Amino acid sequence: MDFSRTYMKQVVAIHQAMFEKLLFDEKAGVNLELSELFQDAGRTYLQISERINATYLSHHYLQD
């Protein structure tokens, strides 16, 4: 799970930097790049969630 935690930290850091640039910069308008970032972030976090759930469930079933 350490690799997964490291991976998740990297993903969050990348998305955070991208949101800083595209969303929080008052000079930047709402554009297609921002839409694509939301789509990418959403897909990425759903995939991470599915992996965590699968890992937890497989570990839980092995204990039973």
Side-chain angles (χ1 to χ4, degrees):
M1 197 60 130
D2 288 337
F3 173 79
S4 295
R5 184 173 297 274
T6 300
Y7 169 74
M8 289 185 282
K9 286 180 182 180
Q10 291 172 343
V11 167
V12 170
I14 291 168
H15 284 143
Q16 182 177 0
M18 294 170 76
F19 276 114
E20 281 289 330
K21 178 182 176 189
L22 296 174
L23 180 63
F24 297 116
D25 181 1
E26 295 298 325
K27 297 174 191 165
V30 175
N31 58 32
L32 188 57
E33 284 182 302
L34 183 58
S35 172
E36 291 171 349
L37 175 57
F38 274 108
Q39 288 177 340
D40 178 60
R43 276 192 303 270
T44 301
Y45 295 129
L46 284 173
Q47 289 172 347
I48 289 170
S49 173
E50 290 168 358
R51 288 183 201 161
I52 291 170
N53 285 336
T55 300
Y56 173 79
L57 291 175
S58 67
H59 180 71
H60 181 71
Y61 286 128
L62 290 176
Q63 289 182 344
D64 288 343

